[in-house]
Amino acid sequence: MFEFEDSKTGTAFGVPLAVLLQCLCIAEQRHLVPPLEPEWEVLTIPPALRAYAVVREDT
């Protein structure tokens, strides 16, 4: 769990690592971040999590 804080209100909130990794996968698919290095991805992102983060263009 990662803790973030709203800079305007000071309110803290937690985000699970899996959610952050899903966001990274989605950002990669949308070309918002550079492609993930395959060696790093294999060690870091479980295949099921990667599959769950696939952006479908028809939705």
Short mmCIF file of all heavy atoms in Angstrom, two decimals:
data_model
loop_
_atom_site.label_atom_id
_atom_site.label_comp_id
_atom_site.label_asym_id
_atom_site.label_seq_id
_atom_site.Cartn_x
_atom_site.Cartn_y
_atom_site.Cartn_z
N MET A 1 0.85 -1.17 0.00
CA MET A 1 0.00 0.00 0.00
C MET A 1 0.90 1.23 0.00
O MET A 1 1.84 1.33 0.78
CB MET A 1 -0.88 -0.03 1.24
CG MET A 1 -1.92 1.05 1.29
SD MET A 1 -3.27 0.87 0.13
CE MET A 1 -4.29 -0.30 0.94
N PHE A 2 0.59 2.15 -0.89
CA PHE A 2 1.32 3.41 -0.97
C PHE A 2 0.41 4.53 -0.48
O PHE A 2 -0.77 4.56 -0.84
CB PHE A 2 1.77 3.69 -2.40
CG PHE A 2 2.86 2.78 -2.86
CD1 PHE A 2 2.56 1.53 -3.38
CD2 PHE A 2 4.18 3.16 -2.76
CE1 PHE A 2 3.56 0.68 -3.80
CE2 PHE A 2 5.18 2.32 -3.18
CZ PHE A 2 4.88 1.08 -3.70
N GLU A 3 0.95 5.41 0.32
CA GLU A 3 0.15 6.51 0.84
C GLU A 3 0.47 7.79 0.08
O GLU A 3 1.63 8.12 -0.16
CB GLU A 3 0.43 6.73 2.32
CG GLU A 3 -0.46 7.79 2.94
CD GLU A 3 -0.28 7.93 4.43
OE1 GLU A 3 -0.37 6.90 5.12
OE2 GLU A 3 -0.04 9.05 4.88
N PHE A 4 -0.59 8.47 -0.34
CA PHE A 4 -0.47 9.76 -1.01
C PHE A 4 -1.22 10.80 -0.19
O PHE A 4 -2.07 10.46 0.62
CB PHE A 4 -1.08 9.68 -2.43
CG PHE A 4 -0.32 8.78 -3.34
CD1 PHE A 4 -0.63 7.43 -3.44
CD2 PHE A 4 0.72 9.28 -4.12
CE1 PHE A 4 0.07 6.59 -4.29
CE2 PHE A 4 1.43 8.45 -4.97
CZ PHE A 4 1.11 7.11 -5.05
N GLU A 5 -0.91 12.06 -0.44
CA GLU A 5 -1.58 13.13 0.27
C GLU A 5 -2.02 14.20 -0.72
O GLU A 5 -1.25 14.61 -1.58
CB GLU A 5 -0.63 13.75 1.30
CG GLU A 5 -1.28 14.83 2.14
CD GLU A 5 -0.34 15.37 3.19
OE1 GLU A 5 0.13 14.58 4.02
OE2 GLU A 5 -0.07 16.58 3.15
N ASP A 6 -3.27 14.61 -0.61
CA ASP A 6 -3.80 15.69 -1.43
C ASP A 6 -3.11 16.98 -0.99
O ASP A 6 -3.20 17.37 0.17
CB ASP A 6 -5.31 15.79 -1.26
CG ASP A 6 -5.95 16.83 -2.14
OD1 ASP A 6 -5.41 17.96 -2.23
OD2 ASP A 6 -6.99 16.52 -2.75
N SER A 7 -2.40 17.63 -1.90
CA SER A 7 -1.63 18.82 -1.52
C SER A 7 -2.50 20.00 -1.13
O SER A 7 -2.06 20.91 -0.43
CB SER A 7 -0.69 19.22 -2.66
OG SER A 7 -1.43 19.53 -3.82
N LYS A 8 -3.75 20.01 -1.56
CA LYS A 8 -4.64 21.12 -1.22
C LYS A 8 -5.34 20.93 0.12
O LYS A 8 -5.51 21.86 0.88
CB LYS A 8 -5.68 21.32 -2.32
CG LYS A 8 -5.06 21.79 -3.62
CD LYS A 8 -6.10 21.98 -4.69
CE LYS A 8 -5.41 22.40 -5.98
NZ LYS A 8 -6.32 22.52 -7.08
N THR A 9 -5.78 19.69 0.37
CA THR A 9 -6.55 19.44 1.59
C THR A 9 -5.76 18.76 2.69
O THR A 9 -6.17 18.77 3.84
CB THR A 9 -7.78 18.57 1.28
OG1 THR A 9 -7.32 17.26 0.88
CG2 THR A 9 -8.64 19.17 0.19
N GLY A 10 -4.63 18.13 2.33
CA GLY A 10 -3.85 17.40 3.31
C GLY A 10 -4.41 16.02 3.61
O GLY A 10 -3.88 15.29 4.44
N THR A 11 -5.50 15.65 2.93
CA THR A 11 -6.10 14.34 3.13
C THR A 11 -5.20 13.25 2.58
O THR A 11 -4.75 13.32 1.44
CB THR A 11 -7.48 14.26 2.44
OG1 THR A 11 -8.30 15.32 2.94
CG2 THR A 11 -8.15 12.93 2.67
N ALA A 12 -4.95 12.23 3.38
CA ALA A 12 -4.13 11.10 2.96
C ALA A 12 -5.02 9.96 2.48
O ALA A 12 -6.14 9.78 2.97
CB ALA A 12 -3.26 10.63 4.12
N PHE A 13 -4.52 9.21 1.51
CA PHE A 13 -5.25 8.04 1.01
C PHE A 13 -4.26 7.00 0.55
O PHE A 13 -3.13 7.32 0.19
CB PHE A 13 -6.23 8.44 -0.10
CG PHE A 13 -5.58 9.12 -1.28
CD1 PHE A 13 -5.18 8.39 -2.39
CD2 PHE A 13 -5.37 10.48 -1.27
CE1 PHE A 13 -4.57 9.02 -3.47
CE2 PHE A 13 -4.77 11.13 -2.34
CZ PHE A 13 -4.36 10.39 -3.45
N GLY A 14 -4.67 5.75 0.58
CA GLY A 14 -3.81 4.65 0.19
C GLY A 14 -4.19 4.07 -1.16
O GLY A 14 -5.36 4.03 -1.52
N VAL A 15 -3.17 3.62 -1.88
CA VAL A 15 -3.38 2.98 -3.18
C VAL A 15 -2.55 1.69 -3.19
O VAL A 15 -1.33 1.73 -2.97
CB VAL A 15 -2.93 3.91 -4.33
CG1 VAL A 15 -3.11 3.23 -5.67
CG2 VAL A 15 -3.68 5.22 -4.29
N PRO A 16 -3.19 0.55 -3.47
CA PRO A 16 -2.45 -0.71 -3.53
C PRO A 16 -1.47 -0.74 -4.71
O PRO A 16 -1.71 -0.12 -5.75
CB PRO A 16 -3.54 -1.77 -3.72
CG PRO A 16 -4.81 -1.10 -3.34
CD PRO A 16 -4.63 0.35 -3.62
N LEU A 17 -0.39 -1.46 -4.55
CA LEU A 17 0.62 -1.60 -5.60
C LEU A 17 -0.01 -2.12 -6.89
O LEU A 17 0.32 -1.64 -7.98
CB LEU A 17 1.75 -2.53 -5.15
CG LEU A 17 2.82 -2.83 -6.19
CD1 LEU A 17 3.49 -1.55 -6.67
CD2 LEU A 17 3.83 -3.82 -5.62
N ALA A 18 -0.92 -3.08 -6.80
CA ALA A 18 -1.55 -3.64 -8.00
C ALA A 18 -2.27 -2.56 -8.81
O ALA A 18 -2.20 -2.56 -10.05
CB ALA A 18 -2.53 -4.75 -7.62
N VAL A 19 -2.90 -1.63 -8.15
CA VAL A 19 -3.61 -0.54 -8.84
C VAL A 19 -2.61 0.36 -9.55
O VAL A 19 -2.81 0.76 -10.70
CB VAL A 19 -4.49 0.26 -7.87
CG1 VAL A 19 -5.06 1.50 -8.53
CG2 VAL A 19 -5.61 -0.62 -7.33
N LEU A 20 -1.50 0.67 -8.88
CA LEU A 20 -0.48 1.50 -9.51
C LEU A 20 0.11 0.82 -10.74
O LEU A 20 0.34 1.46 -11.78
CB LEU A 20 0.62 1.84 -8.51
CG LEU A 20 0.21 2.72 -7.34
CD1 LEU A 20 1.37 2.88 -6.37
CD2 LEU A 20 -0.27 4.08 -7.82
N LEU A 21 0.35 -0.49 -10.65
CA LEU A 21 0.89 -1.22 -11.80
C LEU A 21 -0.12 -1.27 -12.95
O LEU A 21 0.26 -1.15 -14.12
CB LEU A 21 1.32 -2.63 -11.39
CG LEU A 21 2.54 -2.69 -10.48
CD1 LEU A 21 2.78 -4.11 -10.00
CD2 LEU A 21 3.77 -2.12 -11.16
N GLN A 22 -1.40 -1.43 -12.63
CA GLN A 22 -2.43 -1.40 -13.67
C GLN A 22 -2.46 -0.04 -14.36
O GLN A 22 -2.56 0.05 -15.59
CB GLN A 22 -3.80 -1.72 -13.09
CG GLN A 22 -3.98 -3.18 -12.75
CD GLN A 22 -5.31 -3.45 -12.08
OE1 GLN A 22 -5.86 -2.59 -11.39
NE2 GLN A 22 -5.82 -4.65 -12.27
N CYS A 23 -2.35 1.02 -13.59
CA CYS A 23 -2.32 2.37 -14.16
C CYS A 23 -1.11 2.53 -15.08
O CYS A 23 -1.21 3.14 -16.15
CB CYS A 23 -2.28 3.42 -13.06
SG CYS A 23 -3.82 3.54 -12.12
N LEU A 24 0.03 1.98 -14.68
CA LEU A 24 1.23 2.05 -15.51
C LEU A 24 1.01 1.30 -16.83
O LEU A 24 1.39 1.80 -17.90
CB LEU A 24 2.42 1.48 -14.75
CG LEU A 24 3.75 1.49 -15.48
CD1 LEU A 24 4.16 2.91 -15.85
CD2 LEU A 24 4.82 0.82 -14.64
N CYS A 25 0.39 0.13 -16.76
CA CYS A 25 0.11 -0.64 -17.98
C CYS A 25 -0.82 0.13 -18.92
O CYS A 25 -0.61 0.17 -20.13
CB CYS A 25 -0.52 -1.99 -17.63
SG CYS A 25 0.61 -3.15 -16.82
N ILE A 26 -1.83 0.75 -18.36
CA ILE A 26 -2.78 1.53 -19.17
C ILE A 26 -2.07 2.74 -19.77
O ILE A 26 -2.26 3.05 -20.96
CB ILE A 26 -4.00 1.94 -18.33
CG1 ILE A 26 -4.82 0.70 -17.99
CG2 ILE A 26 -4.85 2.98 -19.06
CD1 ILE A 26 -5.88 0.91 -16.92
N ALA A 27 -1.23 3.41 -18.99
CA ALA A 27 -0.50 4.56 -19.51
C ALA A 27 0.42 4.15 -20.65
O ALA A 27 0.56 4.87 -21.64
CB ALA A 27 0.31 5.21 -18.38
N GLU A 28 1.02 2.97 -20.54
CA GLU A 28 1.89 2.48 -21.62
C GLU A 28 1.07 2.23 -22.89
O GLU A 28 1.47 2.63 -23.98
CB GLU A 28 2.59 1.19 -21.19
CG GLU A 28 3.49 0.65 -22.28
CD GLU A 28 3.87 -0.79 -22.09
OE1 GLU A 28 3.07 -1.56 -21.52
OE2 GLU A 28 4.97 -1.15 -22.52
N GLN A 29 -0.10 1.61 -22.74
CA GLN A 29 -0.95 1.34 -23.90
C GLN A 29 -1.41 2.62 -24.58
O GLN A 29 -1.60 2.66 -25.79
CB GLN A 29 -2.18 0.54 -23.48
CG GLN A 29 -1.87 -0.87 -23.04
CD GLN A 29 -3.09 -1.53 -22.46
OE1 GLN A 29 -4.10 -1.63 -23.13
NE2 GLN A 29 -3.00 -1.96 -21.22
N ARG A 30 -1.59 3.67 -23.81
CA ARG A 30 -2.04 4.96 -24.33
C ARG A 30 -0.86 5.84 -24.78
O ARG A 30 -1.05 6.99 -25.13
CB ARG A 30 -2.86 5.71 -23.27
CG ARG A 30 -4.14 5.02 -22.88
CD ARG A 30 -5.09 5.01 -24.03
NE ARG A 30 -6.36 4.46 -23.62
CZ ARG A 30 -7.37 4.32 -24.42
NH1 ARG A 30 -7.28 4.68 -25.67
NH2 ARG A 30 -8.49 3.79 -23.99
N HIS A 31 0.35 5.26 -24.73
CA HIS A 31 1.57 5.96 -25.15
C HIS A 31 1.83 7.22 -24.31
O HIS A 31 2.34 8.21 -24.81
CB HIS A 31 1.53 6.30 -26.64
CG HIS A 31 1.26 5.11 -27.49
ND1 HIS A 31 2.19 4.12 -27.73
CD2 HIS A 31 0.13 4.72 -28.13
CE1 HIS A 31 1.66 3.19 -28.48
NE2 HIS A 31 0.41 3.52 -28.74
N LEU A 32 1.49 7.14 -23.03
CA LEU A 32 1.72 8.24 -22.11
C LEU A 32 3.04 8.08 -21.35
O LEU A 32 3.52 9.04 -20.74
CB LEU A 32 0.56 8.36 -21.11
CG LEU A 32 -0.80 8.61 -21.76
CD1 LEU A 32 -1.91 8.52 -20.73
CD2 LEU A 32 -0.82 9.97 -22.44
N VAL A 33 3.58 6.87 -21.39
CA VAL A 33 4.90 6.58 -20.82
C VAL A 33 5.65 5.74 -21.85
O VAL A 33 5.04 5.11 -22.71
CB VAL A 33 4.80 5.82 -19.47
CG1 VAL A 33 4.08 6.65 -18.42
CG2 VAL A 33 4.13 4.48 -19.64
N PRO A 34 6.97 5.70 -21.77
CA PRO A 34 7.74 4.86 -22.71
C PRO A 34 7.38 3.39 -22.52
O PRO A 34 6.92 2.99 -21.44
CB PRO A 34 9.20 5.11 -22.32
CG PRO A 34 9.19 6.35 -21.50
CD PRO A 34 7.83 6.46 -20.88
N PRO A 35 7.59 2.57 -23.55
CA PRO A 35 7.31 1.13 -23.41
C PRO A 35 8.09 0.54 -22.24
O PRO A 35 9.23 0.92 -21.97
CB PRO A 35 7.80 0.54 -24.74
CG PRO A 35 7.78 1.68 -25.70
CD PRO A 35 8.09 2.90 -24.88
N LEU A 36 7.44 -0.37 -21.55
CA LEU A 36 8.09 -1.04 -20.42
C LEU A 36 9.15 -2.00 -20.95
O LEU A 36 8.95 -2.65 -21.97
CB LEU A 36 7.06 -1.81 -19.60
CG LEU A 36 5.89 -0.98 -19.05
CD1 LEU A 36 4.91 -1.89 -18.32
CD2 LEU A 36 6.39 0.11 -18.13
N GLU A 37 10.27 -2.07 -20.25
CA GLU A 37 11.32 -3.00 -20.64
C GLU A 37 10.84 -4.42 -20.34
O GLU A 37 10.40 -4.70 -19.22
CB GLU A 37 12.60 -2.71 -19.88
CG GLU A 37 13.20 -1.37 -20.23
CD GLU A 37 14.48 -1.10 -19.48
OE1 GLU A 37 15.08 -2.05 -18.93
OE2 GLU A 37 14.88 0.06 -19.45
N PRO A 38 10.90 -5.32 -21.33
CA PRO A 38 10.37 -6.68 -21.14
C PRO A 38 10.96 -7.40 -19.92
O PRO A 38 10.23 -8.07 -19.19
CB PRO A 38 10.76 -7.39 -22.44
CG PRO A 38 10.91 -6.30 -23.44
CD PRO A 38 11.41 -5.11 -22.68
N GLU A 39 12.26 -7.25 -19.68
CA GLU A 39 12.89 -7.93 -18.54
C GLU A 39 12.32 -7.43 -17.21
O GLU A 39 12.07 -8.20 -16.29
CB GLU A 39 14.41 -7.73 -18.55
CG GLU A 39 15.10 -8.30 -19.76
CD GLU A 39 15.05 -7.37 -20.98
OE1 GLU A 39 14.74 -6.17 -20.83
OE2 GLU A 39 15.30 -7.87 -22.09
N TRP A 40 12.10 -6.12 -17.12
CA TRP A 40 11.54 -5.53 -15.91
C TRP A 40 10.09 -5.97 -15.73
O TRP A 40 9.66 -6.32 -14.64
CB TRP A 40 11.63 -4.00 -15.98
CG TRP A 40 11.05 -3.33 -14.78
CD1 TRP A 40 11.69 -3.07 -13.61
CD2 TRP A 40 9.72 -2.83 -14.63
NE1 TRP A 40 10.82 -2.43 -12.73
CE2 TRP A 40 9.61 -2.28 -13.34
CE3 TRP A 40 8.60 -2.79 -15.46
CZ2 TRP A 40 8.44 -1.71 -12.88
CZ3 TRP A 40 7.44 -2.22 -14.99
CH2 TRP A 40 7.37 -1.69 -13.71
N GLU A 41 9.34 -5.94 -16.83
CA GLU A 41 7.92 -6.31 -16.76
C GLU A 41 7.73 -7.74 -16.29
O GLU A 41 6.88 -8.02 -15.45
CB GLU A 41 7.27 -6.10 -18.12
CG GLU A 41 5.79 -6.37 -18.10
CD GLU A 41 5.12 -6.11 -19.43
OE1 GLU A 41 5.75 -5.53 -20.34
OE2 GLU A 41 3.96 -6.50 -19.57
N VAL A 42 8.55 -8.67 -16.80
CA VAL A 42 8.44 -10.08 -16.40
C VAL A 42 8.66 -10.25 -14.90
O VAL A 42 7.99 -11.05 -14.26
CB VAL A 42 9.44 -10.94 -17.20
CG1 VAL A 42 9.61 -12.31 -16.60
CG2 VAL A 42 9.01 -11.04 -18.65
N LEU A 43 9.58 -9.46 -14.35
CA LEU A 43 9.88 -9.57 -12.92
C LEU A 43 8.91 -8.80 -12.04
O LEU A 43 8.83 -9.06 -10.84
CB LEU A 43 11.31 -9.05 -12.65
CG LEU A 43 12.44 -9.83 -13.29
CD1 LEU A 43 13.76 -9.09 -13.10
CD2 LEU A 43 12.51 -11.23 -12.71
N THR A 44 8.18 -7.86 -12.60
CA THR A 44 7.40 -6.93 -11.79
C THR A 44 5.89 -7.06 -11.91
O THR A 44 5.18 -6.91 -10.93
CB THR A 44 7.79 -5.48 -12.18
OG1 THR A 44 9.21 -5.36 -12.15
CG2 THR A 44 7.18 -4.47 -11.24
N ILE A 45 5.40 -7.32 -13.12
CA ILE A 45 3.96 -7.31 -13.35
C ILE A 45 3.46 -8.72 -13.67
O ILE A 45 3.81 -9.28 -14.71
CB ILE A 45 3.60 -6.35 -14.51
CG1 ILE A 45 4.12 -4.94 -14.19
CG2 ILE A 45 2.09 -6.33 -14.75
CD1 ILE A 45 3.94 -3.94 -15.30
N PRO A 46 2.66 -9.29 -12.78
CA PRO A 46 2.11 -10.62 -13.04
C PRO A 46 1.27 -10.62 -14.33
O PRO A 46 0.57 -9.64 -14.61
CB PRO A 46 1.24 -10.91 -11.82
CG PRO A 46 1.73 -9.98 -10.76
CD PRO A 46 2.23 -8.76 -11.48
N PRO A 47 1.34 -11.69 -15.11
CA PRO A 47 0.58 -11.76 -16.37
C PRO A 47 -0.92 -11.51 -16.18
O PRO A 47 -1.55 -10.85 -17.01
CB PRO A 47 0.85 -13.17 -16.88
CG PRO A 47 2.15 -13.57 -16.25
CD PRO A 47 2.18 -12.89 -14.92
N ALA A 48 -1.50 -12.01 -15.10
CA ALA A 48 -2.94 -11.81 -14.87
C ALA A 48 -3.25 -10.34 -14.66
O ALA A 48 -4.26 -9.83 -15.16
CB ALA A 48 -3.40 -12.63 -13.67
N LEU A 49 -2.39 -9.63 -13.96
CA LEU A 49 -2.60 -8.21 -13.73
C LEU A 49 -2.47 -7.45 -15.05
O LEU A 49 -3.25 -6.56 -15.35
CB LEU A 49 -1.59 -7.68 -12.72
CG LEU A 49 -1.87 -6.28 -12.23
CD1 LEU A 49 -1.75 -6.23 -10.72
CD2 LEU A 49 -0.93 -5.30 -12.86
N ARG A 50 -1.49 -7.83 -15.86
CA ARG A 50 -1.29 -7.19 -17.17
C ARG A 50 -2.53 -7.42 -18.04
O ARG A 50 -3.02 -6.49 -18.69
CB ARG A 50 -0.05 -7.78 -17.83
CG ARG A 50 0.24 -7.25 -19.20
CD ARG A 50 0.49 -5.79 -19.16
NE ARG A 50 1.63 -5.41 -19.96
CZ ARG A 50 1.76 -4.21 -20.48
NH1 ARG A 50 0.85 -3.29 -20.30
NH2 ARG A 50 2.81 -3.91 -21.16
N ALA A 51 -3.07 -8.63 -18.04
CA ALA A 51 -4.25 -8.95 -18.84
C ALA A 51 -5.46 -8.15 -18.36
O ALA A 51 -6.27 -7.70 -19.17
CB ALA A 51 -4.53 -10.44 -18.79
N TYR A 52 -5.58 -7.96 -17.06
CA TYR A 52 -6.71 -7.22 -16.50
C TYR A 52 -6.65 -5.74 -16.87
O TYR A 52 -7.66 -5.07 -16.92
CB TYR A 52 -6.72 -7.40 -14.98
CG TYR A 52 -7.95 -6.87 -14.31
CD1 TYR A 52 -9.18 -7.49 -14.48
CD2 TYR A 52 -7.89 -5.74 -13.52
CE1 TYR A 52 -10.32 -6.99 -13.87
CE2 TYR A 52 -9.02 -5.23 -12.90
CZ TYR A 52 -10.24 -5.86 -13.09
OH TYR A 52 -11.36 -5.36 -12.48
N ALA A 53 -5.45 -5.24 -17.15
CA ALA A 53 -5.26 -3.82 -17.45
C ALA A 53 -5.35 -3.49 -18.94
O ALA A 53 -5.09 -2.37 -19.33
CB ALA A 53 -3.93 -3.36 -16.90
N VAL A 54 -5.72 -4.47 -19.76
CA VAL A 54 -5.81 -4.22 -21.21
C VAL A 54 -6.97 -3.26 -21.49
O VAL A 54 -8.08 -3.45 -21.02
CB VAL A 54 -6.02 -5.54 -21.98
CG1 VAL A 54 -6.34 -5.27 -23.44
CG2 VAL A 54 -4.78 -6.41 -21.86
N VAL A 55 -6.65 -2.21 -22.25
CA VAL A 55 -7.66 -1.21 -22.61
C VAL A 55 -8.34 -1.68 -23.88
O VAL A 55 -7.70 -1.94 -24.89
CB VAL A 55 -7.01 0.17 -22.84
CG1 VAL A 55 -8.04 1.16 -23.34
CG2 VAL A 55 -6.34 0.66 -21.59
N ARG A 56 -9.65 -1.79 -23.82
CA ARG A 56 -10.42 -2.21 -24.99
C ARG A 56 -10.96 -0.96 -25.67
O ARG A 56 -11.58 -0.12 -25.04
CB ARG A 56 -11.56 -3.13 -24.58
CG ARG A 56 -11.06 -4.48 -24.07
CD ARG A 56 -12.19 -5.29 -23.46
NE ARG A 56 -11.91 -6.52 -22.83
CZ ARG A 56 -10.86 -6.91 -22.15
NH1 ARG A 56 -9.85 -6.12 -22.01
NH2 ARG A 56 -10.75 -8.07 -21.58
N GLU A 57 -10.73 -0.85 -26.95
CA GLU A 57 -11.13 0.34 -27.69
C GLU A 57 -12.64 0.40 -27.91
O GLU A 57 -13.17 1.46 -28.18
CB GLU A 57 -10.41 0.37 -29.04
CG GLU A 57 -8.91 0.51 -28.92
CD GLU A 57 -8.47 1.79 -28.21
OE1 GLU A 57 -9.14 2.83 -28.36
OE2 GLU A 57 -7.45 1.75 -27.53
N ASP A 58 -13.34 -0.73 -27.77
CA ASP A 58 -14.78 -0.75 -28.03
C ASP A 58 -15.63 -0.37 -26.82
O ASP A 58 -16.84 -0.41 -26.89
CB ASP A 58 -15.20 -2.13 -28.55
CG ASP A 58 -14.89 -3.26 -27.57
OD1 ASP A 58 -14.10 -3.04 -26.64
OD2 ASP A 58 -15.46 -4.34 -27.73
N THR A 59 -14.98 0.01 -25.71
CA THR A 59 -15.76 0.37 -24.50
C THR A 59 -15.73 1.84 -24.26
O THR A 59 -14.99 2.57 -24.79
CB THR A 59 -15.22 -0.36 -23.25
OG1 THR A 59 -13.85 -0.04 -23.08
CG2 THR A 59 -15.43 -1.83 -23.37
#
